[in-house]
């Protein structure tokens, strides 16, 4: 099979441009550069005089983003290979300016899904890796072969919202006692055995939720979200906007709750007659409900189906 090239169709591109509204001379940050699709569209709007900083922990994504942005002038952008938990320090190595707009696209790229060697997909037999950064941390195989049945149950239930989590975990532990898990094909077969036949007849592929859960755990995707969002808010200028695209309910709930707390302001008990905490809202919510992709986009790019866009704007400092 032909090896995948790093192409990632930017999801909800028009909506991102509308809400971030990039203008010449501004500074914007793409915290998940991917193949550079969003980054390139943003940078075009920032010129002349603007600057784009793009981050990604995947070395292939960094290379692809640089290639995509190069025709717009190397002096106008910086691509940094790093996890977005290092957002603030990474940006400060480039500029002291506060950002006019920041974007997070939290989806897995088409390249990562389609590249057999990466092990993200349950549709192809491949090494059990699933790391966004192939040089960091532990792989899916490490997790599946070392974690206890209780820990695997928690991961699959919490991150995959899988009703058969305990049974799948038990089958994994039983199978690895005979032979270490090394490939996605092995994992798929274990899941198929664990999920009752009747439950496999309806809904998505029986391995979808478990694969999502293992990927989230390996990359600490949910653990690092709040930290990254706090840094993003801190380096926005007043009036600057933060846009986040999520692809599953766990991420969306976390982003929704983070935005709600940042927009809350006063945290005094309701029975207090006056505010004594003096907390002010850090942001105002721009999208009361998540923005969804159009039917036309879903038809042309089915992987955008579960996307949700939420946007906040940083409030003035008093």
């Amino acid at each position: 099979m032909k090896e995948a090239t790093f192409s990632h169709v930017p999801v909800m591109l028009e909506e991102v441009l509308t809400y971030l509204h990039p203008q010449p001379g501004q500074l914007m940050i793409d915290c998940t550069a991917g193949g550079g699709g969003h980054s390139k569209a943003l940078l075009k709007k920032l010129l002349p005089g603007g600057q784009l900083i793009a981050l990604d922990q995947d070395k292939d994504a960094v290379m692809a983003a640089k290639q995509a942005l190069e025709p717009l002038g190397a002096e106008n952008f910086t691509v940094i290979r790093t996890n977005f938990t290092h957002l603030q320090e990474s940006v400060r190595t480039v500029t002291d300016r506060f950002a006019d707009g920041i974007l997070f696209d939290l989806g897995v790229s088409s390249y990562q899904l389609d590249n057999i060697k990466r092990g993200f997909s349950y549709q192809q037999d491949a090494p059990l890796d699933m790391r966004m950064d192939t040089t960091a941390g532990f792989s899916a195989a490490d997790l599946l072969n070392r974690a206890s049945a209780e820990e695997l149950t928690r991961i699959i239930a919490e991150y995959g919202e899988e009703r058969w989590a305990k049974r799948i975990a038990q089958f994994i532990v039983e199978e690895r006692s005979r032979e270490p898990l090394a490939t996605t094909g092995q994992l798929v077969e274990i899941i198929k055995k664990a999920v009752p036949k009747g439950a496999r007849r309806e809904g998505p592929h029986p391995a979808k939720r478990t694969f999502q859960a293992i990927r989230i755990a390996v990359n600490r995707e949910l653990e690092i979200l709040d930290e990254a969002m706090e840094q993003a808010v801190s380096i926005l200028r007043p009036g600057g906007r933060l846009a986040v695209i999520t692809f599953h309910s766990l991420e969306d709930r976390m982003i929704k709750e983070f935005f709600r707390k940042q927009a809350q302001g006063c945290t005094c008990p309701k029975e207090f007659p006056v505010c004594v905490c003096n907390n002010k809202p850090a942001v105002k919510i721009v999208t009361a409900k998540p923005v969804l992709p159009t039917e036309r986009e879903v038809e042309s790019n089915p992987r955008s189906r579960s996307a949700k866009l939420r946007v906040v704007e940083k409030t003035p400092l008093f």
Side-chain angles (χ1 to χ4, degrees):
M1 182 178 291
K2 185 179 179 181
E3 186 169 322
T5 56
F6 210 120
S7 60
H8 179 50
V9 179
V11 171
M12 303 181 74
L13 179 58
E14 291 305 315
E15 291 84 351
V16 166
L17 294 176
T18 296
Y19 281 100
L20 289 184
H21 196 50
Q23 298 292 304
Q26 290 184 333
L27 167 67
M28 293 210 167
I29 304 167
D30 184 350
C31 296
T32 42
H38 286 117
S39 291
K40 186 173 183 179
L42 288 169
L43 184 53
K44 284 182 178 179
K45 298 286 187 179
L46 295 173
L47 298 177
Q51 184 180 21
L52 179 98
I53 299 174
L55 314 178
D56 208 292
Q57 62 182 328
D58 189 312
K59 65 180 178 62
D60 295 333
V62 169
M63 292 176 60
K66 287 180 178 179
Q67 290 175 357
L69 296 171
E70 191 67 38
L72 299 177
E75 70 279 8
N76 298 314
F77 70 88
T78 304
V79 183
I80 303 171
R81 184 183 178 190
T82 188
N83 185 287
F84 52 56
T85 53
H86 304 299
L87 168 60
Q88 189 166 8
E89 64 182 271
S90 298
V91 170
R92 290 294 170 249
T93 65
V94 179
T95 179
D96 291 329
R97 293 175 62 187
F98 286 85
D100 296 277
I102 300 177
L103 172 67
F104 286 82
D105 173 5
L106 300 176
V108 181
S109 73
S110 298
Y111 167 82
Q112 290 167 329
L113 287 170
D114 295 339
N115 188 332
I116 297 175
K117 296 178 181 179
R118 304 300 291 271
F120 285 103
S121 176
Y122 48 79
Q123 297 177 329
Q124 299 168 327
D125 193 22
L128 269 170
D129 194 321
M130 299 193 197
R131 289 173 295 174
M132 301 285 190
D133 179 354
T134 54
T135 66
F138 53 89
S139 68
D142 294 329
L143 175 64
L144 290 164
N145 286 305
R146 298 176 187 175
S148 66
E150 292 76 18
E151 179 66 4
L152 289 173
T153 298
R154 183 195 66 81
I155 288 170
I156 298 170
E158 183 176 333
Y159 297 159
E161 299 179 296
E162 171 60 69
R163 64 177 294 198
W164 303 105
K166 184 174 182 179
R167 187 174 166 88
I168 291 170
Q170 290 172 339
F171 274 58
I172 288 171
V173 171
E174 182 179 335
E175 185 64 30
R176 77 187 187 193
S177 68
R178 291 189 286 267
E179 180 183 12
L181 274 63
T183 69
T184 57
Q186 284 177 285
L187 181 57
V188 168
E189 289 305 310
I190 292 169
I191 295 168
K192 285 181 177 179
K193 292 176 183 177
V195 177
K197 188 175 181 180
R200 298 201 306 265
R201 293 195 185 118
E202 299 178 356
H205 191 287
K208 181 177 181 179
R209 293 186 181 92
T210 298
F211 268 65
Q212 171 185 293
I214 299 303
R215 188 201 80 221
I216 288 172
V218 167
N219 295 288
R220 299 177 57 244
E221 293 176 34
L222 298 182
E223 295 175 43
I224 63 179
L225 265 187
D226 277 359
E227 180 183 352
M229 293 300 134
E230 287 174 1
Q231 292 184 45
V233 171
S234 72
I235 62 174
L236 269 178
R237 68 164 179 81
R241 288 186 169 185
L242 167 60
V244 183
I245 302 173
T246 62
F247 287 83
H248 58 76
S249 59
L250 296 173
E251 284 177 340
D252 183 59
R253 284 200 296 268
M254 288 189 68
I255 296 302
K256 179 182 178 180
E257 181 62 14
F258 176 82
F259 284 176
R260 185 192 66 78
K261 288 181 178 179
Q262 290 288 308
Q264 181 179 352
C266 176
T267 58
C268 294
K270 291 181 180 180
E271 59 269 22
F272 279 28
V274 295
C275 174
V276 295
C277 72
N278 294 318
N279 289 331
K280 304 296 182 183
V283 302
K284 69 175 182 179
I285 295 173
V286 177
T287 52
K289 294 183 178 180
V291 180
L292 306 179
T294 63
E295 291 183 9
R296 183 176 179 180
E297 179 171 8
V298 173
E299 287 176 4
S300 62
N301 180 17
R303 285 176 176 165
S304 70
R305 183 178 294 107
S306 59
K308 292 181 179 179
L309 170 66
R310 294 185 185 271
V311 183
V312 292
E313 181 175 300
K314 189 164 182 178
T315 54
L317 301 175
F318 295 102

